[in-house]
Amino acid sequence: MTYKEEFITFMVRSGVLTFGDFTTKSGRKTPYFINTGNYKTGAQAAKLGDYYAACIQENLPEGVTCLFGPAYKGIPLAVAAASSLYRNYDRDLPYCFNRKEVKDHGEGGSMVGYKPQDGDDVVIVEDVVTAGTAVRESIELFKHVAKVNMKALIVSVDRMERGTKDCSTLDELRQDHGIAVYPIVTVREIIAFLHNREIDGKVYIDDAMKARMEAYLAEYGPRA
């Protein structure tokens, strides 16, 4: 299997990618849900880092100064990705993350880990982007830290849903901020791989579930 196919299988087995009836924060009724909070073991963290690292290596083999993990979910993702990049590709990239509350004692400041410098090429490591709020907050945060180049955003899954415009949220981020966006997998790749395929004796996307997911994308996907 490709690393993308392995990642989809990994999400299913970890109970992170689930199917049924869910409601997103935006109130949309969705037939599938991605809950990265279900990653909870050292083995899962190591494998997850490997998938992020593979995506970074494939799309950004050079020209990256540091990885940034937005608090809170982005923190372990950035650490795991940095560890795997060193272990698997001999790339020793520094990482940093932000505090939700600025520290006013000790060394102070809002950033932990590597201290970004003017001219740095920064890659944001996130889980699943729905509205893009955390990414926009990260871009705004760095305006008060250093004059960096927000080079790319790495996410686990592109849900391929509209944001505030007719295009997808990730395309909106590309257009508004000139940032490259690379998902490990897209929902289309998930559908294509899992449709009528058994994982551990169970089919997660049968014809009925595929139809529900296609209907959801038809309603909430990009209009452009």
Side-chain angles (χ1 to χ4, degrees), residues 22-221:
F22 309 95
T23 303
T24 65
K25 278 185 181 178
S26 59
R28 295 174 179 176
K29 305 291 186 182
T30 174
Y32 75 102
F33 193 68
I34 299 156
N35 180 11
T36 55
N38 279 346
Y39 293 126
K40 49 187 174 286
T41 72
Q44 288 172 335
K47 287 183 178 180
L48 187 59
D50 288 345
Y51 298 124
Y52 272 94
C55 184
I56 293 169
Q57 185 66 16
E58 178 180 70
N59 296 289
L60 298 159
E62 55 187 18
V64 178
T65 308
C66 75
L67 304 182
F68 172 69
Y72 291 103
K73 283 187 176 180
I75 296 173
L77 298 179
V79 174
S83 298
S84 292
L85 279 168
Y86 176 68
R87 186 172 60 247
N88 298 335
Y89 305 102
D90 200 29
R91 293 178 70 182
D92 189 11
L93 292 182
Y95 62 85
C96 58
F97 54 91
N98 63 304
R99 293 185 174 93
K100 285 286 191 179
E101 299 80 23
V102 177
K103 188 178 179 184
D104 59 3
H105 60 281
E107 79 278 11
S110 61
M111 302 294 289
V112 182
Y114 174 75
K115 299 299 185 283
Q117 308 294 314
D118 290 354
D120 282 354
D121 291 315
V122 177
V123 171
I124 303 172
V125 183
E126 260 282 28
D127 58 350
V128 180
V129 172
T130 303
T133 304
V135 176
R136 291 187 176 86
E137 288 175 351
S138 297
I139 292 170
E140 184 62 31
L141 169 71
F142 269 87
K143 291 179 181 177
H144 307 284
V145 175
K147 294 179 180 179
V148 304
N149 170 33
M150 283 301 194
K151 185 156 188 173
L153 165 68
I154 307 294
V155 297
S156 59
V157 179
D158 180 358
R159 289 182 59 101
M160 304 178 78
E161 293 181 34
R162 286 195 311 278
T164 59
K165 301 179 181 178
D166 283 346
C167 62
S168 73
T169 297
L170 295 187
D171 279 337
E172 196 175 315
L173 291 171
R174 292 180 179 104
Q175 293 172 10
D176 291 351
H177 302 287
I179 187 170
V181 184
Y182 303 109
I184 301 176
V185 294
T186 68
V187 65
R188 289 285 182 196
E189 289 171 328
I190 289 173
I191 293 171
F193 178 67
L194 287 183
H195 182 222
N196 286 336
R197 181 188 298 270
E198 284 190 8
I199 292 184
D200 302 328
K202 181 176 179 180
V203 173
Y204 289 85
I205 300 182
D206 56 13
D207 291 344
M209 178 55 68
K210 181 177 185 289
R212 289 181 61 195
M213 294 178 75
E214 292 287 359
Y216 182 82
L217 286 169
E219 183 171 0
Y220 295 115

